Amino acid sequence: MRMVEDYRSNGLAEMDAIALASDAVVSRQVKSLSMPRRFTHSAREIWGLQSRLKHRNGKRPFRLLVHPRFRAGYDFLLLRAEAGENVGELATWWTEFMAKNSSLVEETGVPAAGGSPQRRRNRHRNGRH
């Protein structure tokens, strides 16, 4: 998050700062580690969700629940709180929001707070089972 703060201090909007910081992190990692684009794209989405999770007014939280990476973003928020970042109150709010709206959470297919995400079925190559 330090990189994001540096970009923000130069006058960039938070989402732009997160995008630039994630590009820098991924570029640095790709030099020494091979990472498929599908993983780097997902990581960037999850990082981008962190700023969207701050918006808790109106319909925004409900719209965020249906985002395909919502649960991953929420889990990352919990990890950040456990690591000591100042996001504990936000993580608690989302946990309570999901508990209060459990029927909507079930409807959207998002695993309930405290539950584990559903496992995906193994994909078979070349149509073989």
Side-chain angles (χ1 to χ4, degrees):
M1 294 305 284
R2 183 177 305 250
M3 245 191 248
V4 173
E5 293 167 9
D6 291 344
Y7 286 125
R8 296 275 328 262
S9 68
N10 290 329
L12 283 176
E14 186 173 16
M15 287 301 293
D16 294 335
I18 290 172
L20 284 174
S22 65
D23 288 345
V25 168
V26 168
S27 294
R28 190 177 321 143
Q29 291 301 316
V30 170
K31 289 178 183 175
S32 60
L33 182 68
S34 176
M35 292 190 318
R37 186 169 288 157
R38 68 179 181 268
F39 297 135
T40 59
H41 180 73
S42 294
R44 286 181 175 128
E45 271 190 299
I46 292 165
W47 292 333
L49 278 173
Q50 299 308 295
S51 70
R52 292 180 62 192
L53 288 169
K54 294 177 187 176
H55 304 289
R56 300 174 277 177
N57 297 329
K59 295 181 181 179
R60 283 182 169 189
F62 296 99
R63 283 195 304 243
L64 212 49
L65 275 179
V66 298
H67 190 283
R69 301 270 186 261
F70 169 76
R71 183 54 198 242
Y74 166 74
D75 288 343
F76 186 59
L77 178 68
L78 295 179
L79 286 172
R80 291 175 56 209
E82 280 186 41
E85 284 191 44
N86 189 21
V87 293
E89 184 265 327
L90 183 61
T92 300
W93 186 91
W94 276 102
T95 301
E96 291 171 0
F97 176 79
M98 289 173 63
K100 288 177 187 172
N101 296 287
S102 59
S103 61
L104 181 60
V105 169
E106 289 173 15
E107 206 174 284
T108 60
V110 174
S116 59
Q118 292 178 341
R119 298 181 125 225
R120 292 179 62 181
R121 292 178 40 189
N122 290 335
R123 290 175 32 188
H124 300 285
R125 293 184 182 197
N126 302 327
R128 289 184 280 166
H129 296 278

